[in-house]
Amino acid sequence: MRKRERENPCGVCGHYHKYEEGEVCGICGHRAVQAEKPSVHLSAFPSEILPEFLYLGSYDNASRSELLKTQGISRILNTVPACQNLYKNSFLYHCLQEDSTLQFDDAIQFIEQCEREKARILVHCMLGRSRSPAYVVAYLMKSKGWRLQQSYQWVKERRPAVEISQGLLQQLQEFEQKIFGPVAASNIAASPPHVFPNPAPPLFNFGFPKPNDQAAAPPFNSPGTASIFSRPELDIPANQFTFGSGQTPMTNNPGGNTDNNNPMDSS
């Protein structure tokens, strides 16, 4: 079998056959259809979750031994037994059992062993979207002391294709309760995860009273509030006004005849 064919296993059964051309698998008889083709990843390299240590990917990533070696990966955690361990002479494999209940303790123990030995590890499932990311999230909670929401977002930001199923999220919530207690359980399934800075950023206040402040502005009818109508009237004599340039001030005329002083009658 040519090397190129060995780099592209079937995305459903994991065996090597020309599934893109409709060839029947010689091992399990599987024939891939168009809807069963694995999703296309932007990179053939696995996603780096923790720098120079923890990587997350698909079976296709695990099948590219030369690319893994360029990243210094020497250990592989296989979370799906249906995926074959292809390069046992080049990598140290640890394969988890096929079970609906995820084996968090077993996986975390192997990852922590790799960390102590300063070995880079790849955690993978078939597509690297749900099962293997769940194990990585569990490791971050147990090893780093991060809560479920923070761990999930950390993985999601570094591998946007991650979409952990509802059932696995429920198991992660139970695992979080086991680590931190029931009070710290996060409802990640109800709302998308968010990571908030600690401490929270200060709120800006421009001097205006807030709606919920206890010390609100006093009402107008409060005894301590001065009314604008209670102020004394301004006593300004009429002859104290200053007129603009070109205007003639009016003077007191006992006779009431102001025709001679009207500038409009000059014509």
Side-chain angles (χ1 to χ4, degrees):
M1 184 177 295
R2 293 178 301 175
K3 180 178 179 181
R4 178 60 184 170
E5 295 176 356
R6 291 188 58 82
E7 292 180 350
N8 293 275
C10 174
V12 178
C13 67
H15 302 134
Y16 291 94
H17 62 104
K18 298 180 180 179
Y19 59 94
E20 294 181 351
E21 301 176 7
E23 180 184 359
V24 178
C25 178
I27 300 177
C28 63
H30 167 71
R31 180 194 300 269
V33 295
Q34 184 70 22
E36 294 176 336
K37 290 183 179 180
S39 58
V40 179
H41 297 294
L42 298 179
S43 175
F45 291 91
S47 305
E48 187 176 30
I49 305 302
L50 294 179
E52 300 181 353
F53 168 57
L54 183 58
Y55 297 81
L56 175 63
S58 64
Y59 188 38
D60 180 69
N61 298 133
S63 303
R64 303 174 183 270
S65 62
E66 297 301 326
L67 295 183
L68 298 182
K69 291 178 181 179
T70 60
Q71 292 184 292
I73 297 174
S74 60
R75 313 285 176 89
I76 296 179
L77 177 60
N78 183 358
T79 65
V80 181
C83 299
Q84 297 179 354
N85 300 327
L86 302 175
Y87 309 104
K88 294 183 179 181
N89 295 331
S90 301
F91 304 96
L92 175 62
Y93 286 87
H94 184 75
C95 189
L96 301 177
Q97 299 297 323
E98 185 74 31
D99 196 347
S100 57
T101 302
L102 299 184
Q103 306 158 43
F104 292 131
D105 294 334
D106 187 9
I108 293 174
Q109 183 178 359
F110 180 72
I111 298 177
E112 289 179 341
Q113 177 184 350
C114 296
E115 185 177 19
R116 289 191 301 267
E117 298 176 358
K118 301 184 182 304
R120 302 188 184 187
I121 176 177
L122 168 67
V123 182
H124 80 87
C125 57
M126 185 62 72
L127 299 177
R129 296 183 57 185
S130 181
R131 191 174 183 88
S132 55
Y135 281 107
V136 173
V137 169
Y139 165 77
L140 294 178
M141 287 194 294
K142 181 66 177 297
S143 178
K144 303 302 180 182
W146 298 348
R147 302 302 171 90
L148 175 55
Q149 289 187 343
Q150 183 178 0
S151 301
Y152 184 91
Q153 181 167 335
W154 180 275
V155 175
K156 179 74 172 178
E157 289 177 351
R158 284 150 183 78
R159 189 173 179 83
V162 168
E163 293 291 343
I164 300 180
S165 65
Q166 183 68 30
L168 299 186
L169 281 177
Q170 180 64 34
Q171 295 187 41
L172 285 172
Q173 289 176 337
E174 297 173 356
F175 189 67
E176 183 187 30
Q177 295 181 23
K178 179 181 177 181
I179 300 175
F180 303 104
V183 179
S186 304
N187 189 11
I188 191 176
S191 60
H194 298 283
V195 179
F196 299 98
N198 187 18
L203 299 177
F204 292 99
N205 186 356
F206 296 96
F208 299 102
K210 300 177 183 179
N212 297 328
D213 286 349
Q214 297 296 331
F220 289 109
N221 58 357
S222 173
T225 306
S227 173
I228 60 176
F229 301 103
S230 63
R231 300 175 182 175
E233 297 182 359
L234 298 178
D235 186 12
I236 303 177
N239 58 359
Q240 295 298 321
F241 288 103
T242 302
F243 290 84
S245 176
Q247 294 180 332
T248 304
M250 297 179 65
T251 60
N252 293 332
N253 190 344
N257 184 9
T258 59
D259 293 342
N260 295 332
N261 297 324
N262 190 346
M264 299 298 297
D265 296 337
S266 60
S267 59

